[in-house]
C-alpha cells in the first residue's frame, strides 16, 4: 500500500498511539536484532540472560563494556522519531509505546513515552541473589554514567551503594520478568486508541507484540510500517513496506497538510 493510505489514516485520527521497535532506530545507527549485522551476529545471546548476569562477574563486566560502546556512539534521533514528536505536539498522538531502550524518542521531544523493556540510560539495584528472573533490589536507580564512573575509579563490578545488591542496566533482559507497570499503562493506551501505528518492529517478541493485536480487537485501526513482512500484516488496515525515516515524515507532513 502507499504512503498516502497511511497519511489518510493519520489525518482522520486524533488518538494515535505509536508502537515502536528496534527498526525505528536503525537509521540512527543502532542495529536491530534480526537483520544482518544486527546485535546477535556480534554478541553471544547466552550472555544476555538475567541468570547469567546474576551468576557471573565476567558477564557483568562484558555487559558494562557493551553499554559503554553504545554510549560512546552517541546515537541521535532520526526523522522518524522527530515525526512522532511532532504528531504529539500537534495533539494527534497520545503515547509512544516502545520496545526500545535507547531513549531516542525522548531525545526527539516525545513526552509520553512508555518503555516496556526499560531504559539503557539508567541502572537499578536488582538485589543480592535474585532468581527466577525477578529483580528484588532496593529502590536505588541512577544514570548509567554512575556505573561508568565507578568502573573508571577501579571498581569493575559496581554494587548498590545503599544495600550492596547487584546493579544492572534498567532494561528487561532475556529470562527477566517484564516490569508490570509500563505494560499495564501500554495496554490502557492501546485499547483506547483510534489508530495504533507500529513502526520498525518484527512483532515477534511477546508480550509486547500482543499490544497491536489488543488495540485492533478493541476497535482501533491498525497500521504497520516495516521494511519486511510481519505476522500481523493480514489483520492490518494499512501496511506500508519501507524505511521508517523516509515514510513516516512524508506521511505525517501530508496528514498535517504541510
Ligand atoms: P526486531 O529486531 O525484532 O525487528 C525490527 C524490525 O524492523 C525488523 O522487522 C526489521 O526488518 C525492521 N527494520 C529495520 N530497520 C528498519 C527501518 N529503517 N525502517 C523500517 N523497518 C526497519 O526488533 P523489535 O521488534 O523491536 O524486538 C526485538 C527486541 O529488541 C525488543 O525487545 C527491543 O527492546 C530490542 N532492541 C532494542 C534496540 C534499541 O533500543 N534501539 C536495539 C536492538 C534491539
Amino acid at each position: 500500500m502507499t504512503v498516502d493510505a497511511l497519511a489518510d489514516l493519520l489525518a482522520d485520527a486524533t488518538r494515535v498511539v505509536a508502537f515502536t521497535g528496534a527498526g525505528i532506530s536503525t537509521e540512527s545507527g543502532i542495529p536491530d536484532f534480526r537483520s544482518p549485522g544486527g546485535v546477535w551476529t556480534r554478541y553471544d545471546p547466552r550472555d544476555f540472560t538475567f541468570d547469567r548476569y546474576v551468576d557471573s562477574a565476567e558477564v557483568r563486566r562484558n555487559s558494562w563494556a557493551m553499554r559503554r560502546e553504545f554510549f560512546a556512539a552517541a546515537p541521535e534521533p532520526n526523522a522518524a522519531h522527530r515525526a512522532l514528536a511532532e504528531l504529539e505536539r500537534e495533539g494527534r498522538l497520545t503515547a509512544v509505546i516502545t520496545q526500545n531502550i535507547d531513549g531516542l524518542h525522548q531525545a526527539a521531544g516525545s513526552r509520553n513515552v512508555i518503555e516496556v523493556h526499560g531504559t539503557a540510560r539508567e541502572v537499578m539495584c536488582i538485589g543480592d541473589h535474585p532468581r527466577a528472573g525477578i529483580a528484588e533490589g532496593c529502590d536505588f536507580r541512577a544514570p548509567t554514567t554512575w556505573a561508568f564512573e565507578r568502573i573508571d575509579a577501579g571498581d569493575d563490578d559496581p554494587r548498590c551503594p545503599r544495600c550492596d545488591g547487584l546493579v544492572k542496566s534498567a532494561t528487561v533482559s532475556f529470562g527477566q520478568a517484564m516490569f508490570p507497570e509500563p505494560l499495564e499503562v501500554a495496554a490502557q493506551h492501546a485499547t483506547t486508541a483510534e489508530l495504533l501505528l507500529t513502526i520498525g518492529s518484527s512483532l515477534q517478541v511477546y508480550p509486547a507484540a500482543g499490544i497491536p493485536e489488543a488495540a485492533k480487537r478493541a476497535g482501533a485501526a491498525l497500521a504497520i510500517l516495516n521494511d519486511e513482512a510481519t505476522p500481523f500484516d493480514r489483520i492490518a488496515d494499512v501496511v506500508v513496506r519501507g524505511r521508517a525515516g523516509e515514510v513516516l515524515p512524508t506521511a505525517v507532513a501530508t496528514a498535517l497538510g504541510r
Side-chain angles (χ1 to χ4, degrees), residues 46-247:
R46 286 166 301 185
D47 278 349
F48 285 75
T49 69
F50 186 75
D51 284 353
R52 286 209 53 174
Y53 187 90
V54 169
D55 287 341
S56 162
E58 192 196 343
V59 169
R60 293 195 288 277
R61 280 194 290 272
N62 288 341
S63 170
W64 293 126
M66 187 194 71
R67 296 282 170 220
R68 208 192 269 269
E69 202 185 300
F70 173 80
F71 271 67
E76 299 213 341
N78 63 53
H81 297 103
R82 288 194 294 274
L84 291 182
E86 187 182 2
L87 263 189
E88 186 182 15
R89 271 194 304 276
E90 294 293 325
R92 306 290 192 98
L93 179 143
T94 53
V96 176
I97 302 168
T98 188
Q99 297 174 276
N100 295 342
I101 56 172
D102 55 35
L104 292 185
H105 287 298
Q106 293 92 328
S110 285
R111 282 191 293 266
N112 193 17
V113 182
I114 301 153
E115 295 172 306
V116 289
H117 291 159
T119 176
R121 304 209 166 222
E122 290 183 14
V123 298
M124 63 187 283
C125 174
I126 57 168
D128 214 7
H129 293 292
R131 274 291 174 277
I134 296 176
E136 298 174 333
C138 69
D139 60 3
F140 173 72
R141 273 180 96 106
T144 301
T145 46
W146 171 90
F148 299 154
E149 283 159 17
R150 294 288 299 265
I151 292 164
D152 289 343
D155 174 7
D156 68 356
D157 188 17
R159 292 272 180 155
C160 175
R162 291 195 196 142
C163 72
D164 203 39
L166 296 171
V167 172
K168 179 183 165 297
S169 145
T171 54
V172 179
S173 301
F174 283 101
Q176 179 175 356
M178 303 273 291
F179 305 129
E181 200 197 312
L183 258 191
E184 278 163 28
V185 177
Q188 278 161 18
H189 278 289
T191 50
T192 52
E194 215 178 324
L195 168 63
L196 195 295
L197 167 60
T198 92
I199 305 153
S201 176
S202 61
L203 299 177
Q204 286 176 20
V205 181
Y206 277 86
I211 289 169
E213 199 176 19
K216 179 76 185 166
R217 259 204 317 271
L222 176 61
I224 296 179
L225 165 55
N226 203 49
D227 68 1
E228 63 174 10
T230 83
F232 291 94
D233 289 359
R234 66 194 156 70
I235 64 159
D237 299 272
V238 168
V239 175
V240 184
R241 205 64 65 71
R243 283 163 71 79
E246 292 162 11
V247 172

